[in-house]
């Protein structure tokens, strides 16, 4: 029996290897690819400005791809998704709704309520996986509980990891129901009013075509040396696929398939470190499913009583890349300009905030959420709690990154710092990561005036390390 089917799109803005799309096409005479702007369902974690910029361009790219196949993207908005789904279903006579799962706590609860009401309305609902290698409940410990240590989780996962058969992108799609229309993308107001986004536009190509091009370039190039270069922020050694993965413009199954088609094993050799990073993303979703409170509260309950500091001036200096510590400032400036920060620098920046400045990890998580194009609640939560020492498989609290040593080790010539802190560009490599230690004549020759051109450090690294360890002593013995 032919019917009209709604394909409810969220974090799966692609056409290739799209299980919900494949399910929706079965028996569909008319198909309604639908995106609903209902950010209230995100709870306290509504998308930040950088994510909204990406979403605008991703939706536009998807609409173009759909139109080339005889369809188009219908856009709606509302206080919640249910009202829009009901309205569209009534307008086009839809009998079935298909969608891919979301995993964030507030979104998951909203989806459950929506499904219940749609079924009560008489609509058939088909909910499928699609953006993970494993569903968060697929893997369990021997005691049938959730994992809290990545190494154990990944051993179980990689033993089950197989090269997937992908669903090809359709060459044509059923048409939209006649007379059905939605909002223009611009009506969602996703782009910034003051156009600060030029750096994002130079750095990224949102959409499925951009995702596939970046993935192919990575697998054919930097993947071979990923294990050696991924920690070097001045080099193009990482995939930079995280925003594409977050918005579902490409899925991890596709990446695994691409790697396998190059003849590379998944659990050994040059591809293994990158496949393991995909596993870290899986682990993040495993954790947020089983421990939903961790978006705002520490998994390690002892940290609920940690003596965090409250210093708005220091937080602002960190956010603005004005800490006086070059590696950290370079990272925060890269973030502001491009919506992305190299992962090694993310760890160093998070360590400085939560340990040397002793500001709460939630403040850093919120800033990343607002400024990252790859802001993903599961990964953001895991990353910040890992560095702060209060999450699953966390770095011990007493592991405090020294940002000078990190810079000297991973940016030895200072190329990364020179790019993002051009006022330091003429300093010799010996002093590029600690300009305060340079003799006056070296500073003068480099044209650097501390406190004028570039600030002195806002914190003493050695003294603040001792203070952080003393703070840890106040809670470490608690149950």
């Amino acid at each position: 029996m032919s019917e009209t089917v709604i394909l409810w799109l969220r974090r799966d803005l692609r056409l290739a290897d799209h299980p919900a799309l494949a399910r929706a096409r079965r028996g569909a005479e008319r198909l309604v690819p639908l995106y609903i702007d209902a950010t209230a369902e995100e709870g306290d974690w509504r998308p930040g400005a950088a994510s909204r910029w990406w979403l605008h361009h991703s939706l536009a790219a998807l609409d173009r791809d759909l139109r080339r196949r005889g369809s188009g993207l219908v856009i709606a908005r509302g206080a919640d998704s249910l009202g829009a789904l009901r309205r569209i279903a009534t307008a086009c006579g839809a009998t079935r709704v298909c969608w891919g799962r979301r995993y964030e706590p507030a979104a998951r609860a909203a989806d459950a309520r929506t499904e219940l009401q749609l079924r009560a309305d008489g609509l058939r609902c088909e909910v499928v996986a699609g953006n993970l290698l494993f569903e968060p409940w697929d893997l369990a410990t021997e005691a049938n509980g959730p994992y809290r240590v990545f190494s154990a989780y990944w051993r179980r996962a990689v033993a089950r990891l197989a090269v997937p058969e992908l669903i090809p992108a359709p060459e044509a799609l059923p048409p939209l129901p006649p007379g059905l229309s939605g909002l223009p993308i611009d009506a969602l107001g996703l782009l910034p009013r003051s156009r600060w986004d030029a750096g994002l536009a130079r750095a990224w190509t949102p959409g499925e075509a951009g995702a596939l091009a970046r993935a192919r370039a990575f697998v054919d190039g930097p993947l071979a040396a990923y294990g050696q270069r991924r920690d070097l922020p001045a080099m193009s050694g990482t995939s930079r696929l995280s925003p594409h993965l977050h918005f579902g413009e490409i899925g991890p199954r596709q990446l695994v398939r691409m790697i396998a088609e190059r003849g590379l094993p998944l659990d050994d050799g040059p591809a293994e470190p990158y496949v393991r990073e995909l596993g870290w993303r899986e682990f993040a979703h495993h954790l947020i499913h089983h421990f939903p409170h961790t978006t705002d509260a520490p998994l390690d309950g002892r940290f609920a009583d940690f003596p965090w500091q409250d210093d708005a001036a220091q937080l602002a200096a960190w956010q603005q890349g004005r800490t006086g510590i070059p590696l950290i400032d370079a990272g925060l400036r890269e973030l502001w300009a491009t919506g992305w920060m190299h992962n090694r620098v993310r760890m160093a920046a998070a360590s400085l905030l939560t340990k040397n400045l002793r500001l709460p990890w939630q403040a850093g998580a919120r800033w990343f959420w607002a400024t990252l194009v790859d802001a993903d609640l599961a990964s953001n939560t895991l990353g910040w709690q890992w560095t702060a020492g209060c999450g699953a498989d966390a770095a011990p609290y007493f592991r405090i990154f020294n940002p000078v040593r990190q810079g000297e080790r991973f940016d030895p010539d200072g190329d990364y710092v020179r790019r993002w802190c051009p006022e330091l560009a003429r300093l010799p490599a010996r002093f590029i990561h600690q300009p305060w230690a340079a003799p006056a004549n070296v500073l003068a020759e480099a044209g650097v005036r501390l406190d004028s051109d570039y600030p002195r450090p806002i914190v003493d690294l050695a003294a603040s390390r001792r203070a952080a360890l003393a703070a840890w002593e106040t809670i470490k013995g608690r149950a």
Side-chain angles (χ1 to χ4, degrees):
M1 180 182 71
S2 60
E3 59 181 344
T4 297
V5 182
I6 294 173
L7 171 64
W8 183 19
L9 296 160
R10 288 93 67 77
R11 303 262 172 72
D12 46 3
L13 305 181
R14 66 181 184 275
L15 299 179
D17 198 46
H18 197 306
L21 171 59
R23 189 72 63 88
R25 291 176 63 207
R26 295 177 188 171
E29 181 182 23
R30 305 283 183 181
L31 180 67
V32 183
L34 175 65
Y35 181 84
I36 303 169
D37 178 61
T39 54
E41 294 180 348
E42 308 280 355
D44 293 334
W45 292 92
R46 300 180 185 186
S51 290
R52 291 196 298 271
W53 176 88
W54 189 288
L55 176 60
H56 174 97
H57 294 288
S58 187
L59 291 173
L62 179 61
D63 183 47
R64 290 192 295 270
D65 291 342
L66 288 166
R67 290 180 184 278
R68 293 188 188 104
R69 290 164 172 82
S71 183
L73 184 62
V74 177
I75 293 178
R77 70 187 314 171
D80 58 29
S81 297
L82 178 61
L85 284 164
R86 281 173 162 166
R87 186 170 64 252
I88 298 295
T90 299
C92 67
T95 57
R96 186 160 53 98
V97 184
C98 301
W99 67 85
R101 290 191 185 96
R102 294 186 293 182
Y103 302 96
E104 298 81 4
R108 193 171 74 235
D111 285 358
R113 293 191 300 269
T114 299
E115 181 179 0
L116 185 65
Q117 291 298 320
L118 291 177
R119 290 187 184 278
D121 292 346
L123 284 163
R124 285 178 290 142
C125 299
E126 298 182 6
V127 188
V128 301
N131 283 338
L132 295 173
L133 298 170
F134 302 99
E135 292 293 79
W137 48 87
D138 281 348
L139 303 175
T141 66
E142 295 296 332
N144 202 34
Y147 284 95
R148 296 169 68 123
V149 176
F150 173 71
S151 56
Y153 170 86
W154 189 235
R155 280 195 299 271
R156 177 65 60 89
V158 80
R160 294 181 51 181
L161 184 60
V163 179
E165 292 295 326
L166 302 182
I167 306 168
E171 296 183 2
L173 288 168
L176 292 168
L180 183 65
S181 63
L183 297 171
I185 294 171
D186 287 342
L188 300 183
L190 298 170
L191 294 178
R193 293 180 181 176
S194 59
R195 300 309 296 267
W196 49 260
D197 54 337
L200 275 63
R202 287 192 296 269
W204 303 100
T205 305
E208 184 173 15
L212 290 171
R214 190 176 287 277
R216 293 188 188 106
F218 172 70
V219 171
D220 290 340
L223 177 62
Y226 178 79
Q228 294 76 44
R229 295 187 175 185
R230 62 176 175 171
D231 284 322
L232 306 177
M235 302 189 69
S236 299
T238 63
S239 74
R240 293 173 65 90
L241 283 165
S242 49
H244 297 290
L245 283 163
H246 171 71
F247 286 96
E249 298 166 350
I250 193 170
R253 289 163 37 91
Q254 291 168 278
L255 293 173
V256 167
R257 182 77 191 190
M258 281 186 185
I259 292 168
E261 287 177 348
R262 300 306 190 275
L264 299 172
L266 302 176
D267 58 353
D268 193 17
E272 188 276 335
Y274 182 71
V275 176
R276 192 168 65 248
E277 287 301 308
L278 293 178
W280 187 253
R281 177 177 180 268
E282 298 282 317
F283 185 52
H285 284 83
H286 178 84
L287 291 171
I288 205 171
H289 172 78
H290 290 287
F291 306 103
H293 69 284
T294 56
T295 57
D296 298 282
L299 181 61
D300 185 339
R302 293 175 297 175
F303 279 83
D305 298 319
F306 188 81
W308 299 110
Q309 299 193 107
D310 181 11
D311 191 319
Q314 287 197 331
L315 176 60
W318 180 86
Q319 291 170 336
Q320 295 164 13
R322 298 289 297 172
T323 68
I325 301 171
L327 182 70
I328 306 305
D329 292 343
L332 271 298
R333 295 181 194 186
E334 179 188 28
L335 172 60
W336 184 255
T338 70
W340 188 84
M341 189 194 301
H342 189 279
N343 189 59
R344 169 58 57 176
V345 187
R346 292 190 199 199
M347 290 189 289
S351 179
L352 184 89
L353 184 80
T354 58
K355 294 175 179 175
N356 299 99
L357 301 179
R358 220 159 12 102
L359 294 172
W361 64 269
Q362 293 94 332
R366 287 287 178 181
W367 184 248
F368 273 22
W369 186 256
T371 53
L372 283 169
V373 291
D374 65 354
D376 180 276
L377 191 56
S379 295
N380 198 41
T381 300
L382 173 58
W384 274 96
Q385 291 213 26
W386 183 88
T387 307
C390 62
D393 203 18
Y397 184 81
F398 52 79
R399 180 185 181 187
I400 300 173
F401 287 86
N402 182 311
V404 174
R405 301 288 90 79
Q406 290 284 303
E408 291 171 343
R409 180 178 177 186
F410 297 110
D411 186 33
D413 296 323
D415 293 339
Y416 179 73
V417 167
R418 294 178 210 283
R419 178 179 180 186
W420 296 109
C421 299
E423 65 269 42
L424 302 178
R426 292 168 57 194
L427 275 176
R430 179 183 175 189
F431 298 110
I432 191 73
H433 293 292
Q434 47 180 343
W436 62 89
N441 66 307
V442 172
L443 291 171
E445 289 174 9
V448 177
R449 295 170 298 170
L450 295 178
D451 297 324
S452 178
D453 301 316
Y454 188 74
R456 294 181 190 274
I458 63 173
V459 65
D460 181 291
L461 294 175
S464 60
R465 183 181 190 278
R466 290 192 296 270
L469 295 177
W472 165 240
E473 289 293 327
T474 67
I475 67 162
K476 76 173 187 178
R478 299 182 185 181

